[in-house]
Amino acid sequence: MTETSAADQLTARLDDVLSRLDAAAARAGRDGREITVLLATKTRTPQEIDTVIDLLRERERPIAVGENRAQEIAKHSDPLLADNGVPRHFIGRLQTNKARDVVAFAETIHSVDREDIADALERRAGMAGLVRDVLVQVNTSGEESKGGFAPTVESVGPIIERLRAGETLRPVGLMTIGANTGDAATVRSSLRTLRQLRDQARTELDAPQLEQLSMGMSGDLEIAVEEGATIVRVGSAIFGARP
Ligand SMILES: *Cc1c(COP(=O)(O)O)cnc(C)c1O
C-alpha cells in the first residue's frame, strides 16, 4: 500500500525537469544553474506554488513565477505567496485594459506583442512611478494563433527603439512560444530563430541589454536550453496536467 503525497509527486516531477534541464545544458556546454526556472502558475493553487518555490530554493535555482491571466494575479497576494520575494513575471497575452494590473504585479513582462500594448504599459507604469523590464514577443513559428512580431530586425527594431526611448519600460530580451508540433527539427528551427534574431538585434541596434531569451516549455525545454534559453517557462511538467 503506497500512497504518494502531493508534495512527493511535485518533488519527483520537479527533479525530473531539473535533470532534463541540466543534461541539455551540459550538452550545450552550459551550466543549468544559470537558467531561470519560471513557474507557469496558471490554474495552480497558492499551496502548490509555494511548495515548488521551496523546493527550487533548496536546490539553489534562479526562479521566477509567471502568471498568464490578469484574473489570476490576485492569488499571488495569498499570505503563502505575498512576501516570498520571488520575482514576478507576466507571460500571457496582454490586453490594454489590464495593463494597470499587469504593471503593478509583474517586474518583467514577457509578452509585448503589439505597439498599443507597449503604449498602455508605458502609460500605466508612468502613472504608477514604476520601471518594468519587458521582452518583445516574436512569432517564430508562423502559426497564426500566436501573437508576436515577425522574426526580423526590421519588425522588432522599431518596437525596441521606442521602448528604449521611453523611461518606464526597459527592453531586456525576446520571448517566443516554440512551434506546436512533435517534430523536433521544426521546434528547434523556431527556437534557434529567436536566438539568431536576438544576436542580430544586439549588434544592428547596438542594444547589448537584449540578454534574455524566454523560450522552452514542458515539452521543448531541452531544445530551448540547447539553443540558448536564459528563462524556461514550465507548468505541467512540474505541476502535473492542468485541470
Ligand atoms: C502555460 C504556459 C507555459 C507553460 O506551459 P507547459 O506546457 O504547461 O509547461 C509557458 N509559456 C506560456 C506563455 C504559457 O501560457
Side-chain angles (χ1 to χ4, degrees), residues 168-210:
T168 54
L169 303 180
R170 293 189 301 216
V172 296
L174 304 179
M175 175 272 212
T176 200
I177 299 172
N180 182 18
T181 165
D183 179 46
T186 304
V187 174
R188 187 177 298 279
S189 153
S190 69
L191 301 178
R192 182 170 295 173
T193 295
L194 195 72
R195 193 223 325 222
Q196 289 171 338
L197 179 61
R198 186 218 35 199
D199 293 347
Q200 200 186 347
R202 281 173 94 160
T203 316
E204 292 182 18
L205 307 174
D206 189 20
Q209 66 269 57
L210 298 176

Side-chain angles (χ1 to χ4, degrees), residues 7-23:
D8 287 346
Q9 280 189 26
L10 285 173
T11 306
R13 280 193 297 254
L14 176 66
D15 283 332
D16 183 56
V17 164
L18 295 180
S19 59
R20 287 169 57 195
L21 186 151
D22 287 345

Side-chain angles (χ1 to χ4, degrees), residues 38-42 44 66-68 91-93 110-111 137 175-177 214 216-221 232-240 242:
L38 179 150
L39 297 173
T41 54
K42 59 179 175 275
R44 309 304 174 177
E67 197 47 76
N68 266 75
I91 62 175
R93 182 155 283 188
H110 288 228
S111 35
Q137 184 170 348
M175 175 272 212
T176 200
I177 299 172
S214 168
M217 314 189 345
S218 291
D220 59 5
L221 70 94
V232 292
R233 310 179 307 267
V234 189
S236 49
I238 294 175
F239 292 109
R242 269 183 290 282

